[in-house]
Amino acid sequence: MLGGKKILGALAGLFLSAQALSVNAEPLKIGYSDWPGWVAWEVAVEKKWFAEEGVDVQFEWFDYVASMDAFAAGQIDAVGMTNGDALVTGATGAKSVMIIMNDYSNGNDMVIGAPGINSVKDLAGKKIGVEVGFVSHLLLLNALEKNGLTEADVELVNVPTNETPQVLASGQVDAIVAWQPSSGSALQLVPGSKAIYTSKNEPGLIYDLLAVSPSSLASNRADWEKVAKVWYKAVDYINDPKTRDDAIAIMASRVGLSPDEYKQFIEGTKILTLDEAKAHFKKGDGFDSLYGSTKISDDFNIANKVYDTPQSVDAYIDPSITMGLK
């Protein structure tokens, strides 16, 4: 009888172990899209660093808006989003927590004027193609304010960002607002067009982050800590002069460009080191702080009726994983 109890106990132990394995069998699913700060994940994928760290991760490639839709539908555990878009996605029902700060836009987001438009002040009375309610709209408002203008001084034409190059080329608008690769396409497509204001003029206006579902973060926190550790290994590889060319080649291959073409995209994106990310994760009121920038985005979203109820910024940000890394 005692032997039977031992056998039963052993079987029960095996059953519980199998249960534990089945619970953890699903990989962490991360949606990413064509933005340098998220394409950078490809370095870690290519080098198989997640397996080395002991975390099972599955990256899924999307168009940007489709990636947020997949997250909202519960098809993925985390997604690369801007801080402003994390609020929009959350306000409409799919809350997230921003745990890894990939970068801030450092010139890739642009206000581009048609030939003859040489400054933001030249936009007075002109038509501007912009995706209303998105981060490009916020960049435009910032550009106008810095140059003594308001939204009332221009005419906005609501255009999906990926269509802005064609709209500028058609002559329907005098300027557009877009991010890479659309901004670069517009500059190539329209001879004489030029960037008259970019995200480099206001660092921290657009942060790009990894946003995780609260349930996945709660149940897989140790794994997300490993993901963060791998991310900064990739950042170091990108920043190291000895390995930078290899990193750029990997990223360029992901989006079908040559390394030389992709270098300009890297230059317009401030991919943050661990120390830099920690500094921006500290609480503050302005664009230097993720908290301050996100509060500005929340105010913008409310003012533009993107959603009706102000969001609790603190609920969307968990700096502890980043702050805990060394």
Side-chain angles (χ1 to χ4, degrees), residues 254-298:
R254 168 69 268 191
V255 298
L257 294 175
S258 72
D260 284 342
E261 288 175 311
Y262 206 71
K263 279 179 183 176
Q264 63 176 314
F265 294 178
I266 298 286
E267 290 165 4
T269 311
K270 175 57 178 171
I271 296 177
L272 298 164
T273 65
L274 178 57
D275 286 344
E276 289 167 340
K278 285 182 176 181
H280 291 292
F281 260 125
K282 292 178 181 176
K283 288 197 172 183
D285 294 328
F287 288 118
D288 284 345
S289 164
L290 176 62
Y291 288 88
S293 176
T294 306
K295 177 61 171 67
I296 291 167
S297 290
D298 187 50

Side-chain angles (χ1 to χ4, degrees), residues 24 32 35 59 94 142 150 168 170 186 203 230-231 238 266 289 304:
N24 296 319
Y32 68 139
W35 173 262
F59 278 82
N142 189 265
T150 70
L168 184 66
S170 72
V230 170
W231 166 253
I238 292 166
I266 298 286
S289 164
N304 286 277

Side-chain angles (χ1 to χ4, degrees), residues 10 81 83 128 239 292 322:
M81 286 192 287
N83 53 326
I128 305 171
N239 287 334
T322 295

Side-chain angles (χ1 to χ4, degrees), residues 6-321:
K6 284 183 177 178
I7 291 169
L8 287 171
L11 288 172
L14 286 170
F15 176 72
L16 289 171
S17 296
Q19 264 196 327
L21 284 171
S22 67
V23 167
N24 296 319
E26 280 289 308
L28 300 178
K29 294 179 181 176
I30 298 175
Y32 68 139
S33 55
D34 192 357
W35 173 262
W38 300 322
V39 176
W41 286 109
E42 195 69 21
V43 174
V45 173
E46 183 84 12
K47 300 295 182 182
K48 303 188 186 320
W49 287 337
F50 294 102
E52 286 181 18
E53 194 59 38
V55 57
D56 190 8
V57 180
Q58 178 179 316
F59 278 82
E60 299 187 13
W61 184 256
F62 294 91
D63 287 335
Y64 179 53
V65 173
S67 72
M68 294 186 287
D69 290 342
F71 178 77
Q75 296 168 4
I76 51 179
D77 301 295
V79 63
M81 286 192 287
T82 69
N83 53 326
D85 287 336
L87 296 177
V88 176
T89 304
T92 53
K95 299 288 186 185
S96 65
V97 183
M98 296 179 276
I99 64 168
I100 298 173
M101 193 183 301
N102 305 107
D103 67 87
Y104 62 71
S105 181
N106 195 41
N108 278 343
D109 290 77
M110 307 176 190
V111 180
I112 297 173
I117 303 292
N118 299 311
S119 70
V120 173
K121 290 181 179 178
D122 289 343
L123 295 176
K126 299 293 195 291
K127 291 182 178 180
I128 305 171
V130 61
E131 195 157 7
V132 174
F134 278 71
V135 69
S136 293
H137 187 184
L138 177 57
L139 178 72
L140 175 63
L141 293 184
N142 189 265
L144 293 173
E145 181 184 343
K146 289 292 179 71
N147 287 274
L149 299 173
T150 70
E151 191 171 334
D153 295 313
V154 298
E155 181 181 343
L156 300 190
V157 179
N158 194 13
V159 179
T161 301
N162 65 322
E163 296 177 16
T164 51
Q166 292 76 22
V167 172
L168 184 66
S170 72
Q172 297 175 58
V173 297
D174 304 288
I176 59 164
V177 194
W179 60 80
Q180 291 284 20
S182 296
S183 52
S185 296
L187 290 170
Q188 289 183 338
L189 190 61
V190 184
S193 63
K194 60 176 68 66
I196 56 175
Y197 190 88
T198 78
S199 49
K200 192 169 186 176
N201 296 108
E202 192 65 83
L205 184 141
I206 305 166
Y207 287 98
D208 303 297
L209 306 102
L210 184 71
V212 182
S213 74
S215 60
S216 182
L217 181 59
S219 58
N220 303 289
R221 189 175 185 86
D223 282 340
W224 287 115
E225 289 172 353
K226 291 176 181 178
V227 170
K229 187 176 177 182
V230 170
W231 166 253
Y232 286 105
K233 187 173 182 177
V235 171
D236 290 343
Y237 195 82
I238 292 166
N239 287 334
D240 188 336
K242 295 177 183 176
T243 53
R244 185 172 176 82
D245 286 346
D246 184 45
I248 291 174
I250 291 169
M251 294 168 69
S253 177
R254 168 69 268 191
V255 298
L257 294 175
S258 72
D260 284 342
E261 288 175 311
Y262 206 71
K263 279 179 183 176
Q264 63 176 314
F265 294 178
I266 298 286
E267 290 165 4
T269 311
K270 175 57 178 171
I271 296 177
L272 298 164
T273 65
L274 178 57
D275 286 344
E276 289 167 340
K278 285 182 176 181
H280 291 292
F281 260 125
K282 292 178 181 176
K283 288 197 172 183
D285 294 328
F287 288 118
D288 284 345
S289 164
L290 176 62
Y291 288 88
S293 176
T294 306
K295 177 61 171 67
I296 291 167
S297 290
D298 187 50
D299 292 343
F300 163 81
N301 290 336
I302 292 295
N304 286 277
K305 298 181 171 49
V306 177
Y307 48 75
D308 298 324
T309 305
Q311 299 297 292
S312 172
V313 168
D314 285 15
Y316 284 85
I317 302 172
D318 182 352
S320 63
I321 287 179

